[in-house]
Amino acid sequence: MKTDVAIVGAGPAGLSAAVFLAQKGLGVTVLDEYFIPGGRLLGQLFENPQKPPGERLWIGRDIAGKLKEEACGSGVKILTGTSVWNIAPGRRLYLSGAVSGEMEAGALLLATGAAERAVPVPGWTLPGVMSVGAAQVFTNLHRVRPGKRVAVVGIDPLAISVAGELKKAGVEVVGIYLPPPGVLTGRLGMPPEVIGSLSRSADMSPGALLKAAAGIFGGRYRDLGARLCGLSTMKIWGIPLHLRRAVVRIEGEDSVERIVTAGVSHCGRQQEECSAIDVDAVCISGGLYPLAELASLAGCPLVDVPQLGGRVPLHGPAMETPRAGVFVAGNITGIEGAPVAMAQGTLAGAGIWSYLAKAGKAGEKELELAASRLERAREEAPIKFFQEAPEGRKKISLLWAGRKQNPEGGVPDGPQSYSVPL
Amino acid sequence: MLRIEGECGQEDSRCREEVEFVFDGRKFKGLAGEPIAAALLANGVRTLRRHEKSGRSRGIYCGIGHCYECRVTVDGVPGVRACITPLRKDMVISSGWERVAGIHEN
């Protein structure tokens, strides 16, 4: 199989790039493991109180559907149920699933998105325990509840949002808890850290209540906030949010039957256990990280940037990587919301068009326009996952510029990964 | 009942065809085109397979095909991820579990 452009990932970034490129007359093939195009958009269902009434509801499924229609109408070929399991030099893709075999592409866009960080909790392999992302997709997209009585483990904006969505869907959410303190969960389980990250990301919170709560705990007083026993529990949409209580064990014979919780001191130490709480499902949240394995296989260097959520492929202003004809867009370059991913996709589309069609001045113009739209999308983003993301992006662009000036030294072109002190 | 009634899922679930399928020898009903894992969850079935070594139950975890916890055997094909495989009429699905010989429990 041959294609002008192969795009891995039919999410907001991949589909936006596909639409741009197909409208420029290029042959575009989008590949996705899932059987419905849309990626993470599919499970999203929330309200943005900053928008005018009538535009507040964000129904990801419908936005994904429109993008898909636009792509198909422009002649994009979308291959769902198809996994890309290897990339060889010359942008040769190896496929399996609904379509299998090899595909050679003139240019390649990796828009693989993000995955959820696993947070091990004793008993987490029991059926009924799932990630909050899974709970979101099953509830909002497939309209099946994860359980009747559910506990949420992990206190972050996504977890709180999903807890609210579950409640709206008729699930009894018994509470939102910290993960068990320990080496594996690290700072996720530290009350001051949790409150600090909550207050930093309150811009994205789907409710004004959380914003107010972040105001109470936020800023310079975050450590003090966690010390105040009286404020160790609060309610969000009627759901108890336990800032000082962790789920330390999930128990059950063949599936989830109960959770055991314990108090957590302000410095993150486990205190006395409490009596068990009956639940039939547990949703765990550990945050998102960029899904960059394919970039690594394609020979792109990866850079560890904690401000962007993990290891991301080194890339330039047109979303190009040091590997000729290999581009990146969306959450593979750092954790951000869907509108930003869409703008990044269009920017990568402009980059690929310039590269393939040798579009010259016209290409530069498109790149400029797409870059300014991306900037605006970032400014308007209701969801800011990492407050220090601009710092992280600056680091990437400095590394990119340094590499261009000095191709011999500094950043290697190979698939090595390296850390950047930030 | 875990299925949310009266509201549509993707491509309007109310219009989607109800189909029969078999899981581990038992007959169930689900909606054509929903993930196998969703159809089973709606029927209250959470255990999708058993660990090859310990025999302990396993179910959905990540829901996006990444963790491979939900793999089942569909119409004789093993290792199919139930969370990203759409349900079709008369599918025969099994947890396909057998203890792997030569591996001993700790």
Side-chain angles (χ1 to χ4, degrees):
Chain A
M1 285 175 279
K2 279 200 173 194
T3 183
D4 292 342
V5 186
I7 297 176
V8 186
L15 288 179
S16 300
V19 168
F20 180 95
L21 289 161
Q23 286 174 354
K24 293 289 182 199
L26 290 163
V28 183
T29 311
V30 181
L31 305 140
D32 199 294
E33 240 179 0
Y34 209 58
F35 60 100
I36 314 163
R40 283 270 166 187
L41 268 176
L42 293 170
Q44 292 177 5
L45 184 64
F46 57 80
E47 257 183 277
N48 180 359
Q50 289 163 10
K51 292 258 178 179
E55 290 173 39
R56 281 187 186 162
L57 213 54
W58 175 271
I59 308 173
R61 185 179 81 211
D62 294 351
I63 294 159
K66 272 183 208 143
L67 268 176
K68 179 203 153 193
E69 290 305 311
E70 213 184 337
C72 292
S74 312
V76 173
K77 210 162 127 189
I78 303 178
L79 305 179
T80 52
T82 303
S83 312
V84 177
W85 58 270
N86 191 20
I87 298 172
R91 295 173 299 274
R92 179 177 286 274
L93 275 57
Y94 292 78
L95 317 180
S96 74
V99 178
S100 58
E102 294 175 25
M103 177 177 279
E104 224 179 276
L108 170 63
L109 174 62
L110 300 172
T112 45
E116 290 184 78
R117 228 176 270 282
V119 182
V121 177
W124 73 325
T125 55
L126 280 169
V129 181
M130 64 178 79
S131 71
V132 279
Q136 190 179 41
V137 167
F138 279 89
T139 305
N140 292 344
L141 179 65
H142 304 302
R143 308 305 282 164
V144 182
R145 302 173 183 102
K148 292 185 184 105
R149 261 171 75 85
V150 176
V152 175
V153 182
I155 302 182
D156 60 66
L158 182 65
I160 292 168
S161 177
V162 173
E165 290 160 25
L166 288 171
K167 194 180 175 188
K168 248 184 218 167
V171 174
E172 188 188 342
V173 183
V174 299
I176 308 170
Y177 300 86
L178 293 166
V183 277
L184 288 174
T185 50
R187 299 186 126 185
L188 289 173
M190 294 268 287
E193 287 297 326
V194 165
I195 291 161
S197 73
L198 260 188
S199 62
R200 285 195 295 277
S201 53
D203 296 353
M204 67 72 63
S205 71
L209 192 54
L210 179 56
K211 200 162 192 170
I216 296 169
F217 295 116
R220 304 176 272 152
Y221 301 109
R222 63 190 177 95
D223 190 52
L224 184 72
R227 274 175 223 252
L228 295 172
C229 293
L231 292 178
S232 61
T233 305
M234 53 193 269
K235 283 202 170 182
I236 283 183
W237 304 303
I239 302 166
L241 174 66
H242 299 280
L243 296 165
R244 295 280 297 275
R245 195 155 288 281
V247 169
V248 292
R249 250 185 350 265
I250 303 164
E251 296 180 341
E253 197 54 51
D254 232 20
S255 64
V256 174
E257 292 170 32
R258 69 197 85 86
I259 53 166
V260 176
T261 69
V264 177
S265 71
H266 81 276
C267 54
R269 225 171 263 129
Q270 185 178 324
Q271 295 167 327
E272 79 294 346
E273 277 187 12
C274 306
S275 54
I277 301 162
D278 288 341
V279 292
D280 62 348
V282 176
C283 303
I284 300 182
S285 179
L288 299 166
Y289 69 93
L291 206 48
E293 293 104 321
L294 280 182
S296 194
L297 283 169
C300 304
L302 302 182
V303 193
D304 189 15
V305 189
Q307 288 94 333
L308 296 173
R311 300 197 314 159
V312 301
L314 179 64
H315 58 279
M319 309 308 285
E320 72 275 39
T321 70
R323 283 278 166 267
V326 180
F327 293 72
V328 287
N331 274 0
I332 189 175
T333 69
I335 306 305
E336 293 178 90
V340 170
M342 286 156 87
Q344 277 186 312
T346 308
L347 177 61
I352 291 168
W353 181 56
S354 299
Y355 169 80
L356 279 183
K358 311 254 181 297
K361 277 250 154 65
E364 276 170 36
K365 221 174 145 188
E366 290 282 11
L367 278 168
E368 220 170 276
L369 182 67
S372 71
R373 285 197 178 144
L374 171 58
E375 209 170 306
R376 195 164 347 122
R378 285 205 167 110
E379 280 164 16
E380 291 172 1
I383 300 169
K384 289 191 177 73
F385 289 90
F386 291 93
Q387 211 61 29
E388 299 89 353
E391 286 294 304
R393 284 196 297 271
K394 210 164 122 192
K395 217 70 207 172
I396 295 272
S397 56
L398 282 175
L399 268 176
W400 180 261
R403 177 199 155 270
K404 276 196 144 173
Q405 280 161 15
N406 182 16
E408 298 297 314
V411 179
D413 261 8
Q416 308 92 319
S417 81
Y418 45 92
S419 290
V420 187
L422 291 162
Chain B
M1 186 62 197
L2 295 178
R3 197 183 291 283
I4 302 162
E5 300 290 350
E7 285 183 70
C8 4
Q10 53 102 11
E11 286 154 19
D12 207 340
S13 68
R14 283 169 301 187
C15 308
R16 274 188 294 163
E17 184 197 356
E18 196 176 62
V19 294
E20 282 194 347
F21 67 99
V22 172
F23 179 71
D24 280 350
R26 281 175 66 196
K27 263 193 184 169
F28 291 101
K29 279 178 183 164
L31 300 178
E34 70 181 341
I36 290 169
L40 285 167
L41 181 60
N43 280 288
V45 177
R46 293 173 186 276
T47 298
L48 300 175
R49 56 174 260 273
R50 286 182 179 275
H51 191 266
E52 289 76 1
K53 188 173 156 186
S54 67
R56 291 195 190 104
S57 51
R58 291 288 195 272
I60 302 162
Y61 186 72
C62 80
I64 57 164
H66 207 73
C67 73
Y68 281 77
E69 278 288 83
C70 67
R71 54 190 190 269
V72 291
T73 298
V74 177
D75 295 331
V77 180
V80 175
R81 288 167 285 177
C83 71
I84 62 166
T85 305
L87 181 74
R88 308 244 177 271
K89 190 171 180 271
D90 298 329
M91 263 184 171
V92 177
I93 306 158
S94 69
S95 48
W97 178 65
E98 45 187 300
R99 254 174 223 271
V100 176
I103 299 178
H104 301 287
E105 262 193 79
N106 294 327

